[in-house]
């Protein structure tokens, strides 16, 4: 069997198209107020949007790897945008959604397994690792355009603005966390090709626990405050007021009731 990507290996998955449809319909419901529960519509919009961004993140890794020399990514299903192909469903979908519910943090949950031996050149290896977080950056910028460009956000209902602000916050947190040079995260994957063999061997045992270490540090109040201060500063550059993603999180947690918004 050939390891090259065939047309069927690159076709867009119906699962991904269904997620895009859910995101579009739920976003329309938030905008128009059609849903009986604005919070439930926001929940569907944010969850589907987050999983769509996860698919795009992992697709970017795989597509860059394909051009870098790993022709096996197609046969593995990584080019179909199917979230079920990106490692374990619990780690890739359920756990990230739980982290969103618990603290409004975008957990980098997916993974594609690149056969690095097929890729030659340190720059290619770095670019493969950088492609995913850069996708989150682009996704975040697109979501924040209504706040940045004069007139674009005018007339948009507050629940919709809050929903896209909260989804943008998840993209920003995911990008920042993923770009940290911590073993197991994409940021380390960017710098790893430039490290000596001895350094790579020494930090290798830490890689499976890198993400847990990062989230453990976020439980430290000073670290948490500094992290979200950076997130607020980044979003502030695009004109996103801090109260908007906070309202978005409140609507997202529809089981706690609708947020109290002053008229």
């Amino acid at each position: 069997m050939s390891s090259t990507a065939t047309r069927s290996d690159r076709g867009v998955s119906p699962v991904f198209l269904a997620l895009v449809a859910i995101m579009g319909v739920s976003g329309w419901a938030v905008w128009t107020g059609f849903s009986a529960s604005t919070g439930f519509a926001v929940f569907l919009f944010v969850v589907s949007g987050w999983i769509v961004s996860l698919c795009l993140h992992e697709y970017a890794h795989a597509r860059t790897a394909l051009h870098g020399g790993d022709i096996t990514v197609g046969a593995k299903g990584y080019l179909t945008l199917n979230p079920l192909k990106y490692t374990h469903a619990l780690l890739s979908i359920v756990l990230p959604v739980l982290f969103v519910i618990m603290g409004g943090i975008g957990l980098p949950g997916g993974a594609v397994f690149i056969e690095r031996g097929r890729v030659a050149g340190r720059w290619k290896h770095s670019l493969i690792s950088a492609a995913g977080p850069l996708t989150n950056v682009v996704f975040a910028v697109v979501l924040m355009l209504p706040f940045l460009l004069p007139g674009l956000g005018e007339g948009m209902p507050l629940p919709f603005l809050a929903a896209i602000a909260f989804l943008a916050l998840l993209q920003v947190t995911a990008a920042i966390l993923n770009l940290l040079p911590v073993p197991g995260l994409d940021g380390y994957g960017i710098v790893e090709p430039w490290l000596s063999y001895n350094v790579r061997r020494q930090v290798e045992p830490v890689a499976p626990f890198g993400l847990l270490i990062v989230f453990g540090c976020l439980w430290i109040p000073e670290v948490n405050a500094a992290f979200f201060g950076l997130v607020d500063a980044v979003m502030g550059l695009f004109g996103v007021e801090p109260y908007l993603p906070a309202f978005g999180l409140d609507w997202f947690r529809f089981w706690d009731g609708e947020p109290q918004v002053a008229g």
Side-chain angles (χ1 to χ4, degrees):
M1 181 181 295
S2 173
S3 60
T4 57
T6 65
R7 181 169 297 181
S8 61
D9 292 330
R10 303 186 188 196
V12 179
S13 165
V15 177
F16 179 78
L17 294 177
L19 287 167
V20 172
I22 292 172
M23 183 181 178
V25 172
S26 57
W28 170 81
V30 175
W31 181 299
T32 61
F34 179 81
S35 174
S37 170
T38 299
F40 183 65
V42 169
F43 178 85
L44 288 179
F45 175 73
V46 171
V47 169
S48 58
W50 171 248
I51 300 176
V52 164
S53 73
L54 183 148
C55 295
L56 295 173
H57 176 115
E58 301 304 333
Y59 175 84
H61 282 310
R63 189 77 190 189
T64 309
L66 176 67
H67 292 291
D70 183 5
I71 59 176
T72 69
V73 294
K76 294 171 183 174
Y78 296 158
L79 301 177
T80 65
L81 291 163
N82 185 346
L84 301 179
K85 297 294 184 180
Y86 303 134
T87 193
H88 197 282
L90 174 65
L91 298 177
S92 299
I93 300 174
V94 178
L95 194 59
V97 171
L98 286 177
F99 267 88
V100 171
I101 294 172
M102 291 170 56
I105 297 176
L107 172 70
V112 294
F113 299 100
I114 306 299
E115 296 189 17
R116 294 281 182 169
R118 295 175 176 268
V119 180
R122 291 183 292 183
W123 282 107
K124 289 182 180 180
H125 284 282
S126 295
L127 187 58
I128 290 169
S129 295
L134 290 177
T135 302
N136 291 110
V137 171
V138 172
F139 205 114
V141 170
V142 171
L143 289 169
M144 292 188 290
L145 285 179
F147 308 98
L148 179 65
L149 301 179
L152 187 58
E154 292 181 7
M156 290 186 179
L158 178 60
F160 184 79
L161 286 173
I164 61 174
F166 179 50
L167 186 54
L169 180 141
L170 297 181
Q171 303 302 319
V172 173
T173 58
I176 293 175
L177 291 175
N178 241 328
L179 287 172
L180 293 175
V182 176
L185 300 180
D186 289 328
Y188 178 75
I190 295 172
V191 301
E192 183 184 23
W194 307 90
L195 301 176
S196 68
Y197 174 78
N198 288 336
V199 172
R200 294 200 302 268
R201 283 294 301 273
Q202 289 174 2
V203 301
E204 187 176 350
V206 182
F209 311 103
L211 189 58
L212 292 177
I213 293 172
V214 169
F215 276 95
C217 291
L218 285 176
W219 285 101
I220 302 173
E222 293 80 6
V223 176
N224 187 279
F227 174 73
F228 279 101
L230 175 60
V231 172
D232 289 341
V234 171
M235 298 187 70
L237 294 175
F238 290 84
V240 182
E241 298 291 343
Y243 74 88
L244 281 171
F247 275 151
L249 177 59
D250 288 340
W251 264 302
F252 178 86
R253 293 172 171 166
F254 65 93
W255 51 89
D256 290 333
E258 298 285 321
Q260 299 298 316
V261 181

